[in-house]
Amino acid sequence: MLFFDPALFALFNADAQTPAASVAVARAISSWLPTLCAAPLLLGLWRGSPALRRTLVLAMCSMLAAWAVARLIRWGFPSPRPMELGLGMQWVDHALRSSFPSMHATGAFALAQALTLGCTRHRRWVMASAWGLALAMAWSRVHLGVHLPSDVIGGAIVGICSATLVWRGALWLRRTGMPWLAMRSA
């Protein structure tokens, strides 16, 4: 736990006086947003242009890489959840697994960074939406009391770095003679 975690956690975690609507919105974001984001990704893979398909495949590879890195970090450096530390209120049931980094935040920020790297300036709304949804996911995890702020910040860093490395790797492969990875923007 970092020095700023208790203060930021107290600021964002829902308590008994928090409106029920706020907790309901956080629950919806936390549980339904990953599924709702999968639908346009699958539609884009099915009906999108070749450039969009490449972007989405690399976005999914970015998320996979980010989750793998996050799992390794969790395995090597276990970290307690806020409830285990006696902090705040936990609004959803959650197993007592290591909390750093947040897997939800890791995936959300990996997707946002991958879409940013793959979209043209004509599709800035996609980038803005992806970053807004990633921030909403991070907020919801702290608001519901299942993660500390450092958990979601760590997830953001892992997700962004993983997506960047996947895209750089794809560019390197393209330059070394794999034309099917032509990195035209979606």
Side-chain angles (χ1 to χ4, degrees):
M1 177 167 59
L2 297 176
F3 68 92
F4 60 82
D5 271 337
L8 278 179
F9 183 78
L11 181 67
F12 289 108
N13 180 237
D15 59 16
Q17 286 76 38
T18 302
S22 176
V23 173
V25 167
R27 280 184 175 153
I29 290 169
S30 189
S31 60
W32 289 100
L33 191 59
T35 304
L36 292 175
C37 286
L41 291 177
L42 293 174
L43 182 63
L45 284 171
W46 180 50
R47 303 276 299 170
S49 68
L52 178 61
R53 288 181 188 153
R54 278 189 295 277
T55 296
L56 295 178
V57 166
L58 286 172
M60 287 190 263
C61 289
S62 298
M63 292 171 65
L64 253 152
W67 283 329
V69 170
R71 287 268 182 222
L72 286 173
I73 292 170
R74 282 181 163 199
W75 175 75
F77 305 97
S79 174
R81 294 205 176 263
M83 215 47 185
E84 294 175 271
L85 298 170
L87 296 175
M89 293 181 70
Q90 184 171 323
W91 291 89
V92 293
D93 290 331
H94 204 288
L96 293 179
R97 295 185 300 263
S98 180
S99 71
F100 181 85
S102 164
M103 297 298 282
H104 281 77
T106 298
F109 281 96
L111 179 61
Q113 177 69 357
L115 292 177
T116 297
L117 293 170
C119 288
T120 63
R121 61 187 169 93
H122 301 297
R123 297 220 172 128
R124 287 191 179 151
W125 66 270
V126 172
M127 293 181 273
S129 298
W131 286 103
L133 294 175
L135 288 170
M137 179 62 74
W139 165 80
S140 75
R141 302 304 285 173
V142 177
H143 195 63
L144 294 173
V146 293
H147 284 290
L148 294 166
S150 61
D151 298 338
V152 295
I153 292 168
I157 292 168
V158 169
I160 291 167
C161 291
S162 296
T164 302
L165 289 174
V166 165
W167 278 82
R168 288 191 178 269
L171 285 170
W172 178 80
L173 286 172
R174 177 181 169 225
R175 275 185 258 144
T176 60
M178 296 190 178
W180 55 271
L181 271 176
M183 300 300 294
R184 287 180 231 112
S185 296

